[in-house]
């Protein structure tokens, strides 16, 4: 018996796709497969209601493809990928694990690294800050202050730093902000 409408052709599907979430966006990376008939990729999310297209003809076999999807709300998304050839034939679906896109809720949940204590040596105009334990997603804290010579300074405090000693002008304000990365491989810090 013959197949109605002829033989079905499936271009090679995109494989080994990695996702890198960020602040209202996500970056996908994969390599163009050996199937040179593939001339575009389509990425779908929100149950197929939203999509983004990549012109595969710009890439040679083995090239890394980087594609951003922007303007996403903070949520978890499931993305499906398809390859297409010039005749409109579609590959089988490649679905990747859900991707958490971050935004205001995540940002508002973050706290500055805790300060355990401070000691001030008035004779030397030196302030010693003892830091609490850093969270596992903590990257650094930027500390902004005016030093004893009346100059604006910024010091970066790293996760393993337990204390920071600075020359500080007594009575001036010290500002500090901690920065975090939601997961390894994320494209944005918060």
């Amino acid at each position: 018996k013959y197949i109605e409408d002829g033989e079905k052709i499936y271009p090679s599907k995109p494989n080994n796709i990695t996702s890198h979430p960020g602040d209202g966006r996500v970056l996908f990376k994969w390599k163009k497969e050996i199937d040179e008939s593939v001339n575009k990729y389509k990425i779908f999310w929100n149950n197929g209601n939203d999509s983004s297209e990549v012109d595969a003809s710009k890439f040679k076999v083995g090239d890394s493809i980087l594609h951003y999807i922007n303007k996403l709300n903070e949520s978890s998304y499931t993305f499906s990928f398809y390859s297409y050839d010039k005749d409109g034939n579609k590959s089988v679906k490649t679905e990747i694990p859900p991707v958490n896109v971050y935004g205001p809720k995540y940002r508002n949940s973050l706290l500055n690294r805790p300060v355990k204590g401070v000691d001030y040596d008035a004779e030397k105009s030196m302030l010693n800050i003892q830091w609490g334990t850093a969270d596992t997603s903590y990257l650094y804290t930027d500390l902004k202050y005016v030093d004893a010579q009346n100059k604006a300074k910024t010091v970066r405090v790293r996760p393993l730093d337990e204390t920071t000693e600075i020359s500080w002008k007594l009575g001036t304000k010290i500002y500090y902000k901690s920065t975090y990365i939601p997961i390894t491989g994320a494209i944005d810090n918060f």
Side-chain angles (χ1 to χ4, degrees):
K1 194 167 181 160
Y2 294 99
I3 300 173
E4 269 186 49
D5 301 325
E7 182 181 10
K8 188 80 172 149
I9 296 171
Y10 295 98
S12 66
K13 66 180 188 167
N15 288 305
N16 302 316
I17 300 164
T18 59
S19 63
H20 305 273
D23 187 0
R25 65 188 186 145
V26 63
L27 166 64
F28 295 108
K29 294 181 185 179
W30 71 94
K31 290 197 181 291
K32 182 165 183 184
E33 298 291 331
I34 200 158
D35 185 350
E36 292 193 32
S37 72
V38 172
N39 71 341
K40 72 177 173 184
Y41 300 99
K42 281 188 95 172
I43 306 163
F44 295 90
W45 67 98
N46 285 340
N47 296 319
N49 292 316
D50 293 308
S51 66
S52 183
E53 194 170 297
V54 178
D55 181 358
S57 65
K58 295 184 196 175
F59 302 95
K60 293 183 241 146
V61 171
D63 281 354
S64 291
I65 298 171
L66 301 146
H67 185 70
Y68 288 90
I69 295 178
N70 298 305
K71 298 181 181 173
L72 295 170
N73 291 324
E74 184 171 14
S75 188
S76 182
Y77 294 89
T78 299
F79 292 92
S80 301
F81 292 73
Y82 292 93
S83 300
Y84 294 82
D85 65 17
K86 65 178 174 37
D87 297 320
N89 296 309
K90 180 167 81 169
S91 71
V92 295
K93 176 170 64 174
T94 299
E95 194 169 276
I96 63 168
V99 178
N100 290 320
V101 173
Y102 300 92
K105 288 180 196 167
Y106 176 75
R107 183 180 294 102
N108 292 336
S109 74
L110 299 172
L111 301 172
N112 279 319
R113 183 173 177 184
V115 174
K116 282 185 3 186
V118 292
D119 293 313
Y120 182 67
D121 182 338
E123 282 182 28
K124 297 179 183 176
S125 297
M126 296 300 289
L127 182 70
N128 183 286
I129 304 166
Q130 298 93 44
W131 298 101
T133 305
D135 184 274
T136 55
S137 63
Y138 170 84
L139 291 175
Y140 57 85
T141 295
D142 281 334
L143 187 67
K144 295 181 180 190
Y145 62 96
V146 175
D147 72 7
Q149 287 74 41
N150 209 31
K151 292 184 181 161
K153 296 283 186 172
T154 301
V155 171
R156 184 157 284 179
V157 181
R158 298 290 178 181
L160 297 178
D161 295 344
E162 293 179 6
T163 62
T164 303
E165 190 170 74
I166 59 173
S167 165
W168 176 59
K169 182 177 180 180
L170 186 63
T172 59
K173 291 186 178 184
I174 297 175
Y175 300 93
Y176 72 104
K177 181 189 180 302
S178 296
T179 299
Y180 295 85
I181 188 165
I183 63 168
T184 302
I187 54 174
D188 293 312
N189 301 331
F190 292 82

